[in-house]
Amino acid sequence: MKRNFNDWFSTFKSNISDYEYYVNFEKIYKNVDNIKVELNILNSLIGSKNIEKDFRALLDNYPTILKCIPILLAVRGYEIYAIDGDGEFLFNFYKRNYSVDEYVMFMDKTGLFNLISNHIINNLVDYVVGVEVGLDSNGRKNRGGHLMENLVEDYLIKAGLVKNETYFKEMKLSSIESKWDIDLSSISNKGKAEKRFDFVVKISNVIYAIETNFYSSSGSKLNETARSYKTITLEANQIDNFKFVWFTDGLGWKSAKHNLEETFDVLEDIYCIADLEDGITDKLFV
C-alpha cells in the first residue's frame, strides 16, 4: 500500500538532540587532567595578599604554570594577542617570550590577579571545568551533524545487526564492489565518482546502502540533496540485489518539501524517525 506523503511528513521532528549532544564531559575531564598539576600549583595564589610577588616566585620555580593561563580566559591555544597604550604584545604561554614583568602586567590587566587573589573563585580546577563546559558548547554543531547517524545506528543494533559483520559504517562504493563482487558503475558514473554511504547492511544476498540526515533549518542544500538521492534511487533500481535506503527527518525540509516529495514518489525505502520508532529496521533487514 502506497504511503501518503503529507501524512508521513507530518511526523517530522524539530529536534533530535541526544543526551551527549549538550556537553562532552569525557573530553572536558581529559583537558582539565592535562593541566591539573599546574592548576593546583596556581591554587596557592588564591587569597594571596601580595599576588604579584607570589606569582613571580611561582613562575620562577614552576615555569610550566604559564600553560594554564589561556584557559583561565577561555582561550584555546598558547598565544594571546593584546594591544593598548603600553604596546603591542603576542604572549606565548608555552615558551615564554617576554619578561616576568610583562607576564605580571598581563595577569593584572586581564583581571586574573583580581579573580584569584580576592577569593572570587575558590578552586582553579573547578573553575576550569566550568570554562571548558562553556567552550564545549561550541562543539554542538559538529556533534549535531552525527545525531541522525547515531540514532539510525541505535536502531540497526536493536534490530540485531552487528557492526562489521552485518552492518558497516562509512563505506565507499569501491569497497562495496570489492567486498561483495558487485558492479555499481551505474551509481559511480563508471568509476569516476566515489560515493560513500553512511551505512551498508548486508542481509542474505541483498546489499542495502544507507544515507542519513536531519535538517532542523532550511537551505539550498536540501534541494540538492533531494535531487541527488532521487538520481541515486533511479540508478540503484537498475542493480540486482542492491537497494538504496534513506533515513531523513527535520522541519528544515518545509522549505524543500516539493523536492522531497519527488524523491518520496520514486524511493520506496525512504523513512523518517517515526518509521524507526515503529520498527522499520526490524521489518526491512530480515
Side-chain angles (χ1 to χ4, degrees):
M1 180 178 175
K2 184 173 177 58
R3 296 178 295 168
N4 180 278
F5 174 78
N6 288 322
D7 290 343
W8 179 72
F9 189 78
S10 69
T11 69
F12 275 32
K13 301 181 183 298
S14 61
N15 193 306
I16 56 167
S17 301
D18 62 13
Y19 296 100
E20 297 178 354
Y21 167 75
Y22 299 97
V23 177
N24 184 345
F25 280 109
E26 183 178 349
K27 175 185 173 184
I28 287 170
Y29 298 148
K30 181 178 179 181
N31 289 345
V32 174
D33 281 343
N34 288 336
I35 56 172
K36 182 175 279 188
V37 171
E38 289 79 10
L39 288 171
N40 278 312
I41 292 172
L42 281 174
N43 270 336
S44 65
L45 295 176
I46 293 177
S48 171
K49 301 302 182 183
N50 193 339
I51 193 167
E52 180 180 319
K53 176 183 176 183
D54 293 340
F55 177 77
R56 290 175 183 275
L58 275 188
L59 190 56
D60 184 48
N61 290 299
Y62 306 101
T64 60
I65 61 171
L66 274 184
K67 70 180 183 180
C68 298
I69 304 304
I71 196 63
L72 299 181
L73 297 171
V75 174
R76 295 259 188 237
Y78 292 110
E79 289 188 330
I80 295 182
Y81 172 85
I83 184 173
D84 66 3
D86 288 329
E88 181 179 17
F89 299 87
L90 181 60
F91 290 92
N92 190 304
F93 291 89
Y94 186 77
K95 186 176 182 181
R96 202 172 85 188
N97 60 337
Y98 292 116
S99 68
V100 174
D101 287 342
E102 285 160 325
Y103 280 96
V104 167
M105 176 187 69
F106 177 92
M107 297 291 289
D108 182 46
K109 288 189 175 185
T110 57
L112 287 176
F113 275 167
N114 180 57
L115 176 76
I116 297 170
S117 65
N118 289 328
H119 275 295
I120 296 172
I121 56 173
N122 294 314
N123 186 296
L124 285 169
V125 175
D126 295 341
Y127 169 82
V128 171
V129 169
V131 171
E132 286 283 355
V133 168
L135 290 175
D136 188 69
S137 65
N138 295 325
R140 289 176 187 168
K141 183 176 181 180
N142 292 332
R143 291 194 290 272
H146 295 283
L147 288 175
M148 189 66 171
E149 185 178 325
N150 295 341
L151 183 63
V152 170
E153 186 170 14
D154 283 346
Y155 279 95
L156 293 179
I157 294 171
K158 286 182 179 180
L161 301 179
V162 179
K163 187 176 181 180
N164 296 328
E165 291 185 15
T166 48
Y167 86 89
F168 305 82
K169 291 188 68 172
E170 297 183 347
M171 203 168 189
K172 295 180 179 179
L173 275 173
S174 57
S175 299
I176 299 172
E177 289 180 313
S178 60
K179 186 174 182 64
W180 291 296
D181 191 25
I182 186 172
D183 181 8
L184 301 178
S185 57
S186 62
I187 296 178
S188 65
N189 190 21
K190 300 188 184 303
K192 296 178 183 178
E194 181 66 292
K195 170 68 179 173
R196 184 181 68 180
F197 293 101
D198 292 330
F199 298 100
V200 174
V201 171
K202 178 68 164 62
I203 299 293
S204 298
N205 65 332
V206 180
I207 298 170
Y208 300 86
I210 302 169
E211 284 287 276
T212 69
N213 42 51
F214 182 93
Y215 295 105
S216 57
S217 58
S218 60
S220 59
K221 182 179 180 181
L222 282 80
N223 288 319
E224 296 171 9
T225 299
R227 285 192 292 264
S228 172
Y229 288 0
K230 179 180 178 181
T231 299
I232 292 176
T233 299
L234 297 175
E235 293 168 343
N237 288 343
Q238 304 172 32
I239 306 171
D240 292 334
N241 300 322
F242 182 85
K243 287 191 174 186
F244 176 55
V245 182
W246 183 17
F247 292 99
T248 193
D249 210 302
L251 294 184
W253 277 112
K254 283 186 175 181
S255 65
K257 185 177 178 181
H258 177 69
N259 292 79
L260 181 63
E261 185 173 9
E262 286 186 355
T263 306
F264 180 90
D265 288 339
V266 299
L267 177 54
E268 179 182 357
D269 293 308
I270 181 172
Y271 304 107
C272 63
I273 294 173
D275 295 317
L276 287 169
E277 294 170 342
D278 287 341
I280 189 60
T281 51
D282 293 317
K283 303 168 187 174
L284 187 62
F285 305 121
V286 293

